[in-house]
Amino acid sequence: MKISGETKVYGIFGHPVNHSFSPVMHNAAFEAAGLNCVYVAFDVSPEDLGASAGALRAMSIAGINVTVPHKESIIPFLDSISPEAELVGAVNTIINSGGVLKGYNTDVGGFLMALKEDLDCEPGGMRVTVLGAGGAARAVLTGLCMKGASEINVINRTVSKAQGLADEFHSSFEQIEINAYSLDDADSVRDCLAGAGLIVNCTSAGMKGVEPLALPFEALSKEAFVYDLVYNPVETELVKAARERGNNARTGLGMLLYQGAESFEIWTGTVAPVDVMKKALPL
Ligand code: NAP
């Protein structure tokens, strides 16, 4: 990569941010596409977020990804946000067009693309069980509602958070039945697994160093798709157990990849070199 006076700068705001895979993924993509662009990580503390958003304009930084803990708090500093970002209530991609900052949420498209490409699953008309009610679950619910899932059951350790999500999304998508359950409610968890065409894990359980959820896998329908947003380890206990039962199951590497590909396309207006980006991921 040759840096010149014309190199466009992209990057990511997070805190901490040094664990992010985005720099290697996007720099590989820029290089493969022959673009004079560079992508760097910016460790931005919460109290400096406003000044950092201002710096995007002042320093003509072309585009930025936003990660934990800034995905929601960045919104007041932007000029506009996309409909998906509005529904999720979070932004993970910003484009700077001559000082005008527009926010997007490419986790939504990344999740839907991963379902399609990795599982050959179209969630329209499906009964879906979502495990978790944090930031990632909001992006997943947005995608499922936009695609017209028929029923969504949200199960969470803290049931009040699941109920809040169910109420909020049902008020925007009245035709979709959205229910909330506690992870401790064994009968409901079993029923939700048995009745689902798609199960999506949006909890951090099963990540390297975090115990997986203890679920009654024997209740799973053989036809159910299983998508685990966790991508480290590359085969989670959930995916392993589902595959052993014959289910079509994948971990979250595809979502990570496709959200990055969508950001690249928003910034550059060119098709992302997905294979190159995938190869660059150190997983
Ligand atoms: P978050 O906002 O902190 O939410 C975490 C969720 O996990 C909450 O629902 C929490 O339940 C639940 N949880 C955490 N530890 C648990 C445990 N031991 N047992 C049961 N439930 C537990 O995090 P997030 O941003 O939504 O991220 C969630 C996961 O998705 C992370 O592993 C993240 O790496 C992954 N992710 C992947 C992608 C991708 O591209 N593949 C994108 C985004 C996120 P409570 O509400 O009860 O605390």
Side-chain angles (χ1 to χ4, degrees):
M1 173 189 311
K2 280 200 181 114
I3 307 281
S4 69
E6 297 198 344
T7 303
K8 283 189 178 178
V9 178
Y10 294 84
I12 182 165
F13 285 175
H15 185 66
V17 75
N18 56 358
H19 64 282
S20 173
F21 294 142
S22 295
V24 286
M25 188 165 71
H26 283 290
N27 285 317
F30 288 143
E31 195 159 345
L35 296 169
N36 188 0
C37 302
V38 67
Y39 187 109
V40 286
F42 297 103
D43 193 327
V44 172
S45 61
E47 58 275 20
D48 289 332
L49 188 61
S52 303
L56 296 178
R57 294 186 178 92
M59 297 170 73
S60 303
I61 291 172
I64 278 285
N65 281 136
V66 184
T67 189
V68 179
H70 304 312
K71 286 185 179 186
E72 288 131 43
S73 43
I74 192 76
I75 292 175
F77 302 109
L78 306 179
D79 297 298
S80 65
I81 63 173
S82 70
E84 285 89 351
E86 184 89 51
L87 281 165
V88 183
V91 157
N92 77 335
T93 302
I94 299 168
I95 185 166
N96 179 5
S97 310
V100 178
L101 304 183
K102 179 165 183 185
Y104 294 83
N105 191 306
T106 69
D107 284 333
V108 178
F111 165 65
L112 292 174
M113 184 64 95
L115 284 189
K116 191 167 154 217
E117 292 294 317
D118 293 352
L119 290 177
D120 200 14
C121 168
E122 277 295 341
M126 265 192 182
R127 290 175 80 185
V128 185
T129 294
V130 172
L131 303 161
R138 294 187 66 90
V140 163
L141 249 82
T142 300
L144 294 172
C145 288
M146 286 172 60
K147 283 285 177 182
S150 63
E151 180 185 323
I152 304 173
N153 293 305
V154 184
I155 300 175
N156 198 41
R157 183 175 59 179
T158 311
V159 70
S160 57
K161 278 171 68 182
Q163 192 62 59
L165 267 195
D167 293 345
E168 183 187 330
F169 277 85
H170 184 66
S171 72
S172 300
F173 296 90
E174 285 176 0
Q175 72 284 12
I176 305 178
E177 186 182 332
I178 311 180
N179 308 301
Y181 299 99
S182 163
L183 198 52
D184 293 333
D185 177 353
D187 289 344
S188 298
V189 170
R190 176 175 292 273
D191 289 349
C192 289
L193 290 184
L198 167 66
I199 292 133
V200 187
N201 177 40
C202 307
T203 75
S204 9
M207 269 170 67
K208 215 174 199 169
V210 185
E211 278 292 302
L213 299 174
L215 295 171
F217 290 110
E218 65 284 359
L220 270 185
S221 142
K222 284 265 187 296
E223 285 71 44
F225 297 101
V226 176
Y227 196 75
D228 190 346
L229 263 62
V230 174
Y231 51 80
N232 192 8
V234 280
E235 187 178 49
T236 59
E237 289 298 322
L238 170 63
V239 164
K240 200 167 155 212
R243 281 180 175 156
E244 277 165 7
R245 290 190 47 76
N247 291 83
N248 191 358
R250 292 297 280 262
T251 48
L253 197 64
M255 178 172 170
L256 176 73
L257 183 64
Y258 294 118
Q259 63 77 29
E262 195 178 314
S263 298
F264 180 95
E265 290 174 7
I266 288 168
W267 292 329
T268 66
T270 58
V271 176
V274 174
D275 290 346
V276 170
M277 295 170 85
K278 187 173 185 179
K279 239 188 218 156
L281 287 171
L283 282 164

